[in-house]
Amino acid sequence: MKKYIIKKGDKYWPSNEIKKIAWIKDNKIYKQADKNPVKFWDKLAKEGLIWEKSWKKTYIEKLPYFWWFKGGKLNFCINALDRHLKDKGDKTALIWVPEPTSEKTVKLTYNELSKKVNKFANVLEKLGVKKGDVVAIYLPMIPEVLIAILACTRIGAIHSVVFSAFSADALKTRLQDGKAKILISADGYYRRGEKEYLDKKVNKAIIGTKVRKVIIVNRLSKNKKYSRKFISFEKEIEKADSYYKPRMMNSEDPLFILYTSGTTGKPKGVVHDIGGYATYAYWTTKWNFNLHNDDVMWCTADVGWITGHTYAFYGPLLNGGTTVIYEGTPDYPNYNRWWNIIDKNKITVFYTAPTAIRMFMKAGEKFLKKHKLNTLRIIGTVGEPIDKDTWEWYFKKVGKSRCPIIDTWWQTETGGSLINSLPGVGPFIPTISGYSFPGTKHIVVNEKGKKVKDGKIGSLVQLSPFAPGMLHGIYKNPKKYKDTYFKRFRNKYDTSDGAYIKNKLIRITGRTDDVIKVAGHRLSTAELENAINKYSNINESAVVSIPDKIKGEVPVSFVVLKSGNSTLSLEKQLKKHIDKTIGPIARPSKIYFVKELPKTRSGKIMRRILKNILNKEKPEGLMTLVNPDSVKEIEKII
Ligand code: WT7
């Protein structure tokens, strides 16, 4: 990506309109927080949340682990629901837009949501779910997913949400790793006007797992018959008592697990704690999106990803806000859909991914022109670097040059946004995410872990004290946790992203490991290779990414067969196989069948060289290869 030089004059400073309503109006906050970050977070945790019991020591660090508010006691659900009931019981907590335009938008007030959550907590308890148990959730963007996750937090059970577009195999792996006994799912959902069935995938996924019962939401069709393992969400909730006494939890007890891709074939279960995560979700939502009581926030991310957890659900609810969720795709029935949703629901904060913006950019401005979009105040982006053209289009066409773009950099591991400009402070510069969030610190280092000069690209690391929203380990895998985040650079959290910093402003340049971002979704090339290698007659494979105009990056795969020749149908079959084993998002855009993969003497596949060939660059390091001829062969077929 081209380096963007910060010049005065092309900065989009906060407007007076935003300054007037901003929680944070100037950059003094950064200095204040920096003086004593632990004290800063201590105060914010007390101010932002309701605690049953306070803590003695705010932050304890014994790397690779660290604890925030240890000894503190609270219940997450009290903070997301109960505390709002007195003043905001009749306020809309959730607005759900179903995909079919024939169905009505559904609104749930805090009172209504709370009643359902209490009832569902009783349902779970009746099924034997206890504090500390893992409950798996495989649901689309429907209100029941929010009811389910909140019910878990009320009991103190650990939820593990699996993205509903993932395959049965992907679900199975996650069920096995978390050893969930209860799975909450649905018969299906609507996507692009079609019925997508989940129950078939569930039936397949639970074989060979510990799942005893599946609670199934009826979204598509009534009166469907299931085996005795399945029970109806609707029927159970109807029978249940309407109050469940929330269990008091330790601040450092786990709130949820969320699996994400790393550099190996196996997804990692990222664990987030209650107190630290809640504090971080609360304040980053409030300050980054400048959330006030009358705001309506729409974060378009699916709950299957961390963005959905933190900014579609938990952040807005902890703040007593109103959040919008939408079941379907942005282009159904046409490209007007999203903008309609914004106007109709008077959305003030809109948060999405560059890949979606690029899609609308390609579709053309005409779809935007019919809509006012005049309720919008703040627009945000997340998931991958945003290029200057996309940024400017978003700023001008969606934000009408009024709304600041909050470009939030973060990860599944960080729980909430760590780097972004604040609405009332700025600056808003295309491709620059901004400053580290108050009370957090990042630097850019070289391979030896030494800080590089301003403006130089290197590895982005986080410094102690680590932010309260940070992960608390990888589920049942302490070694992986230590090796992934705290091994390469001493006492620093390794983000695996490249970046440069100039005048404290941070520009992210992208992943430095074998993780790729397809339409903002995180995928590991190793996971894809594993899936491909399992297919019959495949000897080995290598996956690399190439740039894509809409999706940012897409995977391309190089495959060596055990015997015989490739056929067109084999390419099709392999793509289908990926859909089945991981999900359609991981489908390679192209599969090349080759005789040999370029390898070093020690047998390491040189993916970088494959990338060079695809990008029509001169491959470097051919000297180290044991089979340099393989490169010529591959060049011929591309
Ligand atoms: C990776 C984390 C955090 C929510 C969604 C993704 C990339 C994320 C940005 C941004 C440039 C970004 C990084 C990061 N990324 N936000 N604003 N600018 N890159 O979470 O799936 O865990 O992926 O997404 O490479 O490491 P995730």
Side-chain angles (χ1 to χ4, degrees), residues 281-327:
Y282 178 92
W283 287 102
T284 54
T285 307
K286 185 164 176 143
W287 285 353
N288 292 342
F289 304 111
N290 207 53
L291 218 62
H292 285 272
N293 195 31
D294 54 354
D295 275 307
V296 179
M297 174 158 174
W298 184 19
C299 159
T300 66
D302 191 280
V303 67
W305 308 94
I306 189 72
T307 315
H309 279 63
T310 308
Y311 297 115
F313 289 132
Y314 286 148
L317 290 187
L318 287 168
N319 278 281
T322 301
T323 185
V324 176
I325 62 166
Y326 167 55
E327 179 183 31

Side-chain angles (χ1 to χ4, degrees), residues 24-37 40 287-288 418-427 433-441 504-505:
I24 306 295
K25 295 183 205 301
D26 57 53
N27 56 16
K28 270 192 242 144
I29 187 96
Y30 294 101
K31 268 213 178 113
Q32 273 169 16
D34 205 32
K35 254 192 234 151
N36 190 339
F40 174 78
W287 285 353
N288 292 342
L418 278 168
I419 300 172
N420 58 263
S421 294
L422 294 171
V425 181
S433 285
Y435 303 116
S436 294
F437 193 84
T440 75
K441 207 184 213 164
K504 296 198 170 151
L505 288 169

